[in-house]
Every structure is written in structure tokens, then in C-alpha cells.
Amino acid sequence: MNSQLTYQVNPISVGVLGFGGLGQAAMRVLAPKSEMVLAAAADKQGYVYVPGGLDAQACVAAYRDRGSVGHVEPGGVLSQRSIQDLIASAKSVQGYFLALPNLPNTFMASVVRQFIDAGWQGVLVDALKRTSAMEQIWAMGDDLKTAGITYMTGCGATPGLLTAAAVVAAQSYTEIHSVKITFGVGIANWEAYRATIREDIAHMPDYDVETARAMTDAEVEALLDRTNGILALENMEHADDLMLELAGICDRDQVTVGGIVDTRNPKKPLSTNVQVTGRTFEGKTSTHTFTLGDETSMAANVCGPAFGYLKAGLALHRRGQHGLYTAAEVMPRFVQ
Ligand code: NAD
């Protein structure tokens, strides 16, 4: 029996931590898939676990109207320790996509520690952005390995899809000069992606993670009013640099990341792309450009890769390859 058939008979049970913009998009991405079933979700106030698969409409309605998926019946539980409680109860879940805010900058690392301390084994995937946050995860590599967890880090769009594309593009060159990532994000309403927008604000001059975290929603709105809803970001602290350095592509200071986020229009303000410049063995300098389709949303470009890497992580896990991997060293698999 080939592995495809096995998946169809017995879909992989997965969960999502965080049920905001990306968490809800993750549910929609998985809906038409037969290889994976979303059996668990958690937000700050509760969790829901249904081994046969969550009812998407009920989850979205409970989160929107009552503030938490913990209100979903059956399977919902209200809890102030939702992640810890979900880890303990969701026995069938083999992998989680961590669609959580990383506020404070140590939050994701603290969640990973909870998985290790709980003795949980399986695959974890994050879409972390900051280099300093990924360094904290990197430092836990040996602990993850000992715990029997295969951890895939930086598996969103950038870092993630674009970083992996840079690795592929780099193969034409004998020497890499620069990797330049430029993203355009268009969303109709900032409140659909609060953490993403707060974390982006943290990259602006005069702001940092702590000041952005402490901002009230009214303060975020006032800032966006001043900028006409636009966030223009350059020289961001983005872990694409660490991932490409670890993959041996180039030094981290050769990688730059910037972009424009329009929080009032779903149309992208510019086409997201990565440009990889280098020198070939014949001495020619050239640039490869990989551009994402303008019709693809941030959510599509984050959640698709996240589950592709989760599938790749499961294959590693089954082979006993535990520990930490980045999106720049493993090829994502396509979830059917
Ligand atoms: P969001 O604000 O829309 O949702 C966050 C969710 O996390 C909410 O459901 C909230 O209830 C939940 N949550 C918060 N604290 C929790 C806790 N202690 N326990 C359980 N749940 C908790 O967030 P978003 O805009 O979807 O972004 C999620 C993350 O994805 C952000 O860190 C963002 O930077 C990252 N992101 C990465 C990329 C990429 O390309 N790598 C792109 C976009 C966003």
C-alpha cells in the first residue's frame, strides 16, 4: 500500500494553536484536504477537541460571537491554560501549527517549553518572524530532540516560502551576493490580524516589541489613521537571515527584508518577491527573482507552506529524525 492511500484511509490529525486571522485561515485551507483533518484548536480563553474533525462554522461563530472556541459544543472547554490543557487531552493530534502571537518576544519559546515539559511527542510548525525569537527556539534544539519532537521553524511566507525559494535560486551561483525580500500585504481590516499588525509596528522606527505589545487597539487605530492605513517597513529583523546563514547560503548581513502593508485594502500594494543575486561559475553576475501571484493572500502564503512543512515534519518524525529544522533546509510536501 502506498503512503498516499494510507493517508486517505486514515487522515493525519492536526491542531492549530491560535484562532485569529491565521488560525481561522488554516482551518479553511485544510477543509478540502483529505490527508489531514483539523481536530483541535485553541485560543487564549479555551480550546476545542473533536477527534473526527472540528465543525468550522461552529468554531468561527463561537470565536466571533462569544470570544472563544471553548464555547463550541461538543468538544469545547473554557480554560485560562488552554494550550497546556489541550496538549494533555488531544491524544490523537500528531502535529500542531502554532499560529500564535509572539508577544512578548519570548512567548513562542515558552509554548515550546510547555510541549517539552508535557512529554508530548509529534511535530510542531511555527511561522515565527523575528531573528531573536528564532534564536531562542534554536537554543532548544537538543531538548526538542531528546523529547522526541520534530520542530519546523520559520515555515510561513517570510520567513518560509520565500526563504526556501531563495535556497533553490541560490543553486545557480557559486557565490551569493545578496538576498532581498520585499513583501506586499493587503488586508481589508487590521483587526483580522491583530498580532501580525502589532508585530509589524514593532519594526517601525521609535517602536519595539514591548511598546507595540502595550498599545491599545485605539492607539493602533490612531497610528494607522496617521499613516492612511499603510505600514512601510525596511531593514526588518527577520529570521530569513538566520535561516539562510544556517543553511550555508550566505552571511546573515547579506539578507534584507522589507515591505508595505496596507491595512485598509485587500489588494496588495506591491508584488511580494525575493531577489537572489550572485555570481555563476563563469563569472557572470545575475539576479533570480521569484514573485508571488498578486491574487494570493498572506494567509494563503503562510498557511499552505505551514501544513506542507508539517507533512514534511511528519515524514522526518516517523524516521526518528527529531529536533529542530528550518524551512530553508527541508522541502515542504504537498498536502492532498
Ligand atoms: P491574531 O492576533 O489574529 O490571533 C492570535 C490568536 O492567538 C488569537 O486567537 C488569540 O486568542 C490566540 N492567543 C493569544 N494568546 C494565547 C495564549 N496564551 N494561549 C492560546 N491562544 C492564545 O494573530 P495573527 O495575525 O493570525 O498572527 C499570528 C502569528 O503569525 C503572529 O505572530 C504573526 O507574526 C505570524 N505571522 C507570520 C507570517 C510569516 O510569513 N512568517 C505572516 C503573518 C503572520
Side-chain angles (χ1 to χ4, degrees):
M1 192 189 285
N2 69 25
S3 59
Q4 197 105 330
L5 201 55
T6 315
Y7 288 143
Q8 276 164 10
V9 172
N10 209 355
I12 303 157
S13 179
V14 300
V16 61
L17 299 188
F19 201 64
L22 288 185
Q24 290 176 48
M27 178 174 252
R28 290 174 63 196
V29 164
L30 284 187
K33 306 279 187 183
S34 56
E35 272 185 351
M36 285 187 184
V37 60
L38 189 69
D43 58 46
K44 204 171 181 177
Q45 314 294 338
Y47 70 87
V48 56
Y49 173 52
V50 179
L54 300 181
D55 176 338
Q57 272 183 341
C59 290
V60 171
Y63 187 80
R64 182 192 59 223
D65 302 335
R66 303 181 69 191
S68 174
V69 293
H71 290 286
V72 172
E73 282 180 27
V77 177
L78 292 170
S79 163
Q80 292 303 309
R81 316 179 321 159
S82 57
I83 296 175
Q84 238 173 304
D85 292 351
L86 180 61
I87 296 171
S89 56
K91 298 291 182 204
S92 71
V93 173
Q94 298 174 52
Y96 285 97
F97 170 32
L98 311 179
L100 293 163
N102 192 40
L103 298 167
N105 200 37
T106 52
F107 182 65
M108 198 64 85
S110 72
V111 170
V112 177
R113 180 58 59 193
Q114 286 182 50
F115 276 95
I116 295 171
D117 291 348
W120 185 85
Q121 297 196 321
V123 180
L124 299 176
V125 176
D126 74 38
L128 264 187
K129 293 218 257 198
R130 280 195 179 256
T131 309
S132 52
M134 194 176 288
E135 279 167 341
Q136 297 163 34
I137 308 288
W138 191 256
M140 287 196 259
D142 288 343
D143 292 353
L144 287 163
K145 195 171 193 169
T146 310
I149 294 172
T150 300
Y151 193 102
M152 319 292 291
T153 191
C155 300
T158 165
L161 179 57
L162 295 172
T163 337
V167 175
V168 176
Q171 307 304 321
S172 300
Y173 307 122
T174 47
E175 184 185 300
I176 311 303
H177 296 158
S178 66
V179 176
K180 184 174 184 219
I181 292 172
T182 310
F183 62 82
V185 169
I187 52 177
N189 165 16
W190 85 274
E191 291 180 332
Y193 292 96
R194 286 168 199 260
T196 301
I197 297 307
R198 275 206 173 73
E199 289 177 38
D200 281 344
I201 290 171
H203 289 276
M204 293 171 66
D206 303 329
Y207 290 87
D208 60 22
V209 176
E210 271 320 299
T211 48
R213 180 190 178 209
M215 286 170 84
T216 62
D217 286 359
E219 285 168 340
V220 172
E221 266 153 39
L223 167 70
L224 294 174
D225 278 343
R226 288 200 298 279
T227 65
N228 237 339
I230 304 283
L231 299 176
L233 305 158
E234 49 188 32
N235 286 322
M236 298 170 81
E237 184 209 315
H238 245 232
D240 308 79
D241 62 357
L242 172 63
M243 292 159 69
L244 291 169
E245 187 171 274
L246 289 169
I249 301 295
C250 58
D251 291 340
R252 65 177 81 186
D253 59 11
Q254 291 170 290
V255 182
T256 50
V257 181
I260 297 188
V261 182
D262 187 342
T263 60
R264 294 183 178 169
N265 189 346
K267 192 172 177 300
K268 281 187 194 185
L270 57 87
S271 300
T272 297
N273 67 87
V274 54
Q275 293 183 300
V276 183
T277 301
R279 196 170 48 81
T280 69
F281 75 100
E282 304 106 325
K284 302 271 189 206
T285 298
S286 187
T287 300
H288 282 326
T289 305
F290 173 68
T291 307
L292 303 187
D294 286 342
E295 300 77 11
T296 60
S297 62
M298 173 179 81
N301 291 319
V302 173
C303 299
F307 288 115
Y309 280 106
L310 203 162
K311 182 171 170 180
L314 281 161
L316 293 173
H317 194 264
R318 284 199 197 101
R319 295 203 293 263
Q321 290 178 272
H322 306 151
L324 189 66
Y325 298 87
T326 82
E329 60 179 318
V330 175
M331 192 62 113
R333 308 244 334 238
F334 189 77
V335 181
Q336 306 279 325

